[in-house]
Amino acid sequence: MGRIIGFVIWALCSLLFVVIGIIAWNKKEPMGFWAQAEPPKVKNVKAYNRAVAKIWFFFAVGMLLLGLPLIFGGQNSPLIVLSILGSMFLAIAICVIYIFVEKKYKE
């Protein structure tokens, strides 16, 4: 039962990133990616926001998939290391992807 509760909490956190992606997709001015940072001046706001939204959707799906060891691993399973390390590498990956998106759309 505890594994399922853990996965549900993990899935709700993934859902939060889907919501951020939806907000970015529909936003009329450039969406900031970094916390407390001004978004860059971009050539095409709609395309930039859609690219940022896709990054957040990718992150949400990746997080959800990385939470699967919470369901299939037993209590105190070493599989949780996959979730932890995978989340770290996924966060680094979206930062690198955003750097390319910013270069593409920045004025």
Side-chain angles (χ1 to χ4, degrees), residues 41-78:
K41 293 191 187 286
V42 295
K43 299 177 243 180
N44 185 344
V45 174
K46 186 174 183 178
Y48 168 79
N49 283 344
R50 298 245 166 128
V52 169
K54 288 176 188 175
I55 292 172
W56 288 118
F57 295 147
F58 169 74
F59 187 72
V61 170
M63 284 293 291
L64 188 62
L65 293 175
L66 286 169
L68 291 177
L70 292 170
I71 292 178
F72 299 117
Q75 186 172 357
N76 298 327
S77 171

Side-chain angles (χ1 to χ4, degrees), residues 4-102:
I4 293 181
I5 292 172
F7 180 74
V8 168
I9 293 169
W10 190 278
L12 289 173
C13 290
S14 293
L15 183 63
L16 176 68
F17 294 111
V18 170
V19 170
I20 293 170
I22 291 170
I23 291 169
W25 190 274
N26 294 318
K27 198 160 180 171
K28 301 295 183 207
E29 59 271 355
M31 175 77 170
F33 186 78
W34 309 107
Q36 299 297 320
E38 289 293 320
K41 293 191 187 286
V42 295
K43 299 177 243 180
N44 185 344
V45 174
K46 186 174 183 178
Y48 168 79
N49 283 344
R50 298 245 166 128
V52 169
K54 288 176 188 175
I55 292 172
W56 288 118
F57 295 147
F58 169 74
F59 187 72
V61 170
M63 284 293 291
L64 188 62
L65 293 175
L66 286 169
L68 291 177
L70 292 170
I71 292 178
F72 299 117
Q75 186 172 357
N76 298 327
S77 171
L79 287 176
I80 195 66
V81 172
L82 294 174
S83 298
I84 296 167
L85 291 177
S87 299
M88 180 184 68
F89 288 120
L90 185 62
I92 292 169
I94 68 163
C95 292
V96 170
I97 292 168
Y98 177 73
I99 290 170
F100 290 110
V101 167
E102 186 179 38

